[in-house]
Amino acid sequence: MRRELKVTLQGHPLTVQVSSGVFSGNRLDLGTSVLLKHVPTPPANGDFMDLGCGWGPIALSLGLSSPEARVWALDVNERALDLTQTNARSHGLNGIRALVAEQVPAEQTFDLIWSNPPIRIGKEPLHQLLMAWLPRLNPGGAAYLVVQKNLGADSLILWLDQTLSERFSVSKHASSKGYRVIEVLARP
């Protein structure tokens, strides 16, 4: 069942639609809040991705910060995609497209990826998901992932650093409230 939620994203008070059956369907998740507080200001434009968009707080934040950008909001949950698209439309954020991975052209690359990735899907599926998208960062691009420390953030940093090619650098960008914000930079 849908309901309204009042949130503040990028300094903008918004009323959004949320629903049960969608990640953090009744509030702004603490990990997402940590991510949004610690990421650098995004570029004015480019192709950005919210990987695992849920009801859309990250995609909406990207759209509010960079209205000229194309924001690709991905999720496997149709209800989440519908909520993200509805929330984007209701706030005039026309650069946001909510879709499933198969709808993203194979040649599409990204300047920025922000994600509160679905850690609870398991290590192997999570690794596959990250390896499907992180290598699609453009040279000079960046990804920021928020992961709970007690759910393996530090080991994920190490794994990403060892698994991604030399074209990338991986580090802990910030730490707050039991979460790590992981930074993946694609060398220019």
Side-chain angles (χ1 to χ4, degrees), residues 154-175:
D154 293 336
S155 61
L156 183 61
I157 292 170
L158 184 60
W159 181 83
L160 286 168
D161 192 46
Q162 292 171 344
T163 306
L164 286 166
S165 72
E166 291 296 314
R167 189 171 81 82
F168 298 92
S169 68
V170 181
S171 63
K172 177 179 71 175
H173 177 72
S175 204

Side-chain angles (χ1 to χ4, degrees), residues 6-75:
K6 293 188 183 313
V7 295
T8 300
L9 298 172
Q10 303 305 101
H12 298 267
L14 305 176
T15 300
V16 295
Q17 298 287 314
V18 297
S19 175
S20 56
V22 172
F23 175 72
S24 197
N26 59 357
R27 63 187 168 85
L28 180 60
D29 174 72
L30 179 59
T32 300
S33 295
V34 167
L35 177 76
L36 295 175
K37 181 178 178 186
H38 291 284
V39 288
T41 303
N45 54 46
D47 282 290
F48 304 165
M49 176 189 282
D50 171 2
L51 183 57
C53 63
W55 54 263
I58 293 173
L60 295 171
S61 295
L62 287 166
L64 289 164
S65 294
S66 306
E68 300 300 313
R70 287 173 303 280
V71 179
W72 304 72
L74 269 63
D75 209 295

